[in-house]
Amino acid sequence: MVTALAATVAVVLGGGVWLGSIVRSSESAVPFAARDWVLITAFDNRTGEPLLDSTLEVAFERELSASSYVNVVPRERVNDALVQMRKPVDSRVDGALGREVAVRDGAIRAVIVGDVQQNGGTYTITANIVAPRTGSIAATVTEQTRNSAEIQPAVRRAALRMRELL
């Protein structure tokens, strides 16, 4: 009964292709002001689809860079920190390494860590705003789509929501 009700609600609210978004915030806010820096890390691609490797973080970067409020850390700045840390500049900057880079840099106020998963035809994109020093998650945005064609619009919605949360 509960499962049938949940499935019905998902279909009704989904409206076809888009299943919707979920935003969760915690009390551990990241101190973020206008023009502060945010580092977008490599999203964990759990779909097995090579096309999604590195495309989500590029899309997030493009969407957040359009903001007059958020500054996105350029790769050159990340590379400078990696050199200081004695790590290869072609290192994959995941959440843990991104936090290290942000702490070493000192002016990066937030790190965005995310992943994409697939269950059947449904894709779930999750992005977290993480405090660099503590690793606490200040907010989470989740977008779901019914097919791969809707991933780009879902990333755009998630990035816009991230801008609002920052």
Side-chain angles (χ1 to χ4, degrees):
M1 175 76 172
V2 173
T3 306
L5 179 61
T8 303
V9 169
V11 169
V12 170
L13 293 178
V17 176
W18 177 56
L19 291 176
S21 64
I22 302 166
V23 176
R24 293 186 305 270
S25 295
S26 73
E27 297 300 316
S28 58
V30 173
F32 202 87
R35 306 312 305 163
D36 273 349
W37 293 95
V38 63
L39 174 62
I40 301 169
T41 64
F43 276 53
D44 189 11
N45 179 5
R46 298 178 184 176
T47 68
E49 296 179 26
L51 183 61
L52 294 177
D53 290 341
S54 76
T55 57
L56 296 179
E57 55 268 22
V58 170
F60 258 87
E61 183 176 334
R62 186 184 71 242
E63 294 297 337
L64 289 179
S65 292
S67 171
S68 60
Y69 187 76
V70 177
N71 282 324
V72 176
V73 177
R75 183 61 197 210
E76 297 79 21
R77 185 168 169 176
V78 172
N79 289 348
D80 290 344
L82 291 172
V83 167
Q84 291 177 354
M85 296 164 66
R86 296 193 169 120
K87 298 204 182 264
V89 293
D90 61 350
S91 296
R92 181 178 185 273
V93 181
D94 61 7
L97 186 54
R99 284 185 50 223
E100 286 182 54
V101 167
V103 169
R104 176 167 296 273
D105 180 281
I108 299 172
R109 298 288 174 242
V111 177
I112 295 181
V113 179
D115 66 46
V116 59
Q117 299 179 38
Q118 181 184 20
N119 186 6
T122 302
Y123 291 81
T124 302
I125 300 163
T126 304
N128 298 304
I129 299 173
V130 177
R133 293 205 180 276
T134 65
S136 63
I137 296 173
T140 300
V141 175
T142 303
E143 287 285 336
Q144 293 183 326
T145 68
R146 289 196 188 263
N147 59 53
S148 62
E150 290 298 314
I151 289 175
Q152 182 58 37
V155 168
R156 180 171 172 70
R157 288 190 303 272
L160 291 174
R161 190 66 186 123
M162 282 282 173
R163 283 170 42 180
E164 292 171 5
L165 290 168
L166 288 169

